[in-house]
Amino acid sequence: MYPINPDRTKPWNDLPLLPPARELYEDIQVFTQLGNAKASLGRLQGRSIAIPNQGLLINSISLQEAKASNAIENIFTTDDELYKAYSEQQSRQLEGPAKEILNYREALWLGYEYLQGDQAFDEAYFIKMYRTVSQFNDGIRPPVAQIYIKEGGSGLNAGKASYTPPRGQGIIEAKLQNLIDFLNDDDQYPLDPLLKMAIGHFQFEAIHPFRDGNGRTGRIFNIHYLTKKGLLDYPILFLSRYIMDNKDDYYACLSGITQKGNWKSWLLFMLKTVEVTANITYNKINDIISAKDAILDAVILENNISRPESLVSTIFTEPFTKVKHLTDRGLYAENTARKYLDELTRIGILEKRMIQGNSYYLNLELYRILSE
Ligand SMILES: Nc1ncnc2c1ncn2[C@@H]1O[C@H](COP(=O)(O)OP(=O)(O)OP(=O)(O)O)[C@@H](O)[C@H]1O
Ligand SMILES: [Mg+2]
């Protein structure tokens, strides 16, 4: 049996170490759903290899994950603002929601890079992710920080407590170290990686090692766990979108473990999240690839445009293109670049927008696919 938290208003210093007992999750429904999730994920992974211009297109896709994860905390922003901000590349010069989203996206890549090669999950990884998403400079919260999770909604310390994480000198560190060992040591803890991801995410949220940003850090962790364990080559799964759309269930399932020891519902929820989002992402990639092929054909028909492949690649790197993006790549001289972008605007592929005195060219089809 999983010990239940006796008082949700008091720090749960008895949060059990991992792993949970096998009988808590070994269940036919869980294994059936695990099979479905793995099949969808495998199909996505297979398809993602076919993405032309990989790293670049993936930037646009990962921006969607960032947007969704941040929306959970009620940081909303329009796609327009977001993409404009993104095409400026530099989050430092931004303020407000767009900046938060770019911070998240930056953390997605930073953690992905950090975990390349032999680098295993460690405390420094979690702190790095926390600092990047929250823009705070501290680390694990000190024993004096009195935090709790409020009932039925995100955010800390407002309303009744649904859960109060452990507190005290060395306690958080010890539980985090146990989580890290569980994640890294597959010999001692031989469990399917999708189950380990879901168990790890719960445990991270239950430890709640930071004063804020634990939700975002934990959701970034999910994706990094999949890339680290080789289930995905790139951090391109929109898990946060589904989690946000089902936020009440997400919270209820987390509380279900601490209050009822109900691991099964939690695992089913997370496995469903993987299945649904892998399918959505798979379809999105297909749509983007088809749109790109169709637009390339149209551009080639124009036959006065040189290097059509490179031009089309660039406008599929991100939804907003600037003349500078083409000249920076050494593709064309400035006048030619502008002429081509205007030409693509004339034939309805791009839409020209003036924002603060600068011209941006919006790839209408890519924008539509990413926004839907
Ligand atoms: N009952 C619960 N037990 C454990 N963790 C929970 C529970 N309810 C919610 N959480 C987690 O706590 C997170 C909120 O914590 P925190 O404010 O530190 O993170 P955040 O990233 O700032 O917020 P958000 O996830 O709302 O964007 C939720 O996203 C969820 O992951
Ligand atoms: Mg918060």
Side-chain angles (χ1 to χ4, degrees):
M1 272 283 88
Y2 192 75
I4 293 165
N5 180 17
D7 183 349
R8 56 177 105 156
T9 66
K10 300 233 165 65
W12 196 25
N13 286 0
D14 291 334
L15 166 69
L17 296 178
L18 297 177
R22 294 167 75 102
E23 60 269 22
L24 292 166
Y25 58 84
E26 282 187 344
D27 173 278
I28 184 71
Q29 256 182 299
V30 170
F31 287 126
T32 305
Q33 184 55 47
L34 175 62
N36 295 340
K38 287 191 85 113
S40 292
L41 194 58
R43 193 172 67 142
L44 170 64
Q45 165 63 6
R47 189 59 174 143
S48 72
I49 291 165
I51 303 175
N53 197 7
Q54 279 214 345
L56 302 172
L57 182 58
I58 287 163
N59 261 338
S60 291
I61 295 180
S62 66
L63 203 57
Q64 293 291 303
E65 163 68 18
K67 180 175 176 244
S69 190
N70 281 279
I72 295 180
E73 173 135 46
N74 298 320
I75 303 169
F76 287 103
T77 186
T78 64
D79 284 325
D80 236 32
E81 264 178 87
L82 182 60
Y83 290 131
K84 176 179 69 94
Y86 173 53
S87 64
E88 295 299 339
Q89 303 284 356
Q90 296 202 324
S91 71
R92 263 173 288 128
Q93 296 162 3
L94 296 163
E95 284 307 325
K99 185 184 171 79
E100 303 238 2
I101 289 169
L102 291 191
N103 290 339
Y104 186 97
R105 195 190 65 98
E106 192 181 324
L108 264 180
W109 284 110
L110 213 67
Y112 173 74
E113 302 285 340
Y114 181 81
L115 294 166
Q116 294 294 309
D118 292 337
Q119 178 62 54
F121 287 100
D122 59 6
E123 195 180 284
Y125 159 80
F126 285 106
I127 293 176
K128 205 186 215 0
M129 295 301 98
Y130 155 71
R131 287 185 176 168
T132 310
V133 298
S134 71
Q135 299 284 296
F136 292 136
N137 286 318
D138 60 346
I140 292 175
R141 66 189 151 81
V144 288
Q146 312 258 324
I147 66 160
Y148 65 89
I149 294 165
K150 85 169 183 185
E151 215 164 47
S154 73
L156 295 163
N157 294 7
K160 264 172 60 188
S162 68
Y163 176 69
T164 305
R167 187 186 302 161
Q169 197 63 52
I171 289 177
I172 299 173
E173 287 82 353
K175 293 194 191 294
L176 194 57
Q177 191 53 52
N178 162 257
L179 166 62
I180 288 164
D181 294 342
F182 172 78
L183 298 174
N184 293 329
D185 192 340
D186 291 329
D187 294 330
Q188 199 183 344
Y189 309 107
L191 260 176
D192 185 276
L194 285 185
L195 296 176
K196 286 185 84 163
M197 178 198 84
I199 293 169
H201 181 78
F202 162 78
Q203 191 76 359
F204 180 81
E205 297 307 328
I207 298 169
H208 232 69
F210 306 114
R211 63 182 157 120
D212 196 11
N214 297 284
R216 283 164 285 166
T217 302
R219 289 189 292 274
I220 286 182
F221 153 77
N222 289 335
I223 302 171
H224 288 155
Y225 188 80
L226 297 179
T227 53
K228 182 70 195 166
K229 298 292 168 175
L231 277 77
L232 276 179
D233 284 347
Y234 293 95
I236 51 159
L237 200 61
F238 303 105
L239 292 179
S240 297
R241 168 74 175 276
Y242 183 87
I243 292 175
M244 188 202 68
D245 288 346
N246 297 279
K247 190 176 155 187
D248 291 347
D249 290 344
Y250 173 55
Y251 276 75
C253 287
L254 286 167
S255 291
I257 300 179
T258 58
Q259 289 171 27
K260 294 183 217 132
N262 184 354
W263 278 90
K264 185 177 152 182
S265 294
W266 168 250
L267 294 174
L268 288 174
F269 175 78
M270 285 302 280
L271 293 171
K272 186 84 191 166
T273 301
V274 171
E275 183 193 354
V276 172
T277 39
N279 289 341
I280 293 172
T281 311
Y282 175 82
N283 290 331
K284 229 170 247 262
I285 288 173
N286 281 341
D287 289 351
I288 291 171
I289 291 172
S290 319
K292 191 176 173 215
D293 289 347
I295 284 174
L296 180 59
D297 289 346
V299 171
I300 288 171
L301 277 180
E302 285 296 292
N303 73 38
N304 57 342
I305 290 180
S306 68
R307 309 167 88 174
E309 304 256 358
S310 306
L311 178 61
V312 172
S313 268
T314 308
I315 66 169
F316 272 86
T317 301
E318 51 202 276
F320 278 106
T321 306
K322 293 167 78 174
V323 168
K324 193 168 180 302
H325 297 159
L326 295 168
T327 55
D328 279 357
R329 281 175 205 198
L331 284 176
Y332 314 107
E334 192 179 324
N335 281 342
T336 312
R338 182 167 297 111
K339 190 177 86 186
Y340 287 167
L341 291 177
D342 285 335
E343 177 76 1
L344 296 191
T345 304
R346 192 185 58 74
I347 62 176
I349 291 169
L350 302 176
E351 188 179 289
K352 188 171 179 173
R353 297 203 183 163
M354 294 299 291
I355 305 169
Q356 289 158 0
N358 294 308
S359 311
Y360 291 84
Y361 295 84
L362 177 65
N363 180 337
L364 291 169
E365 196 52 17
L366 179 60
Y367 181 76
R368 187 190 62 73
I369 296 166
L370 288 173
S371 305
E372 75 194 1

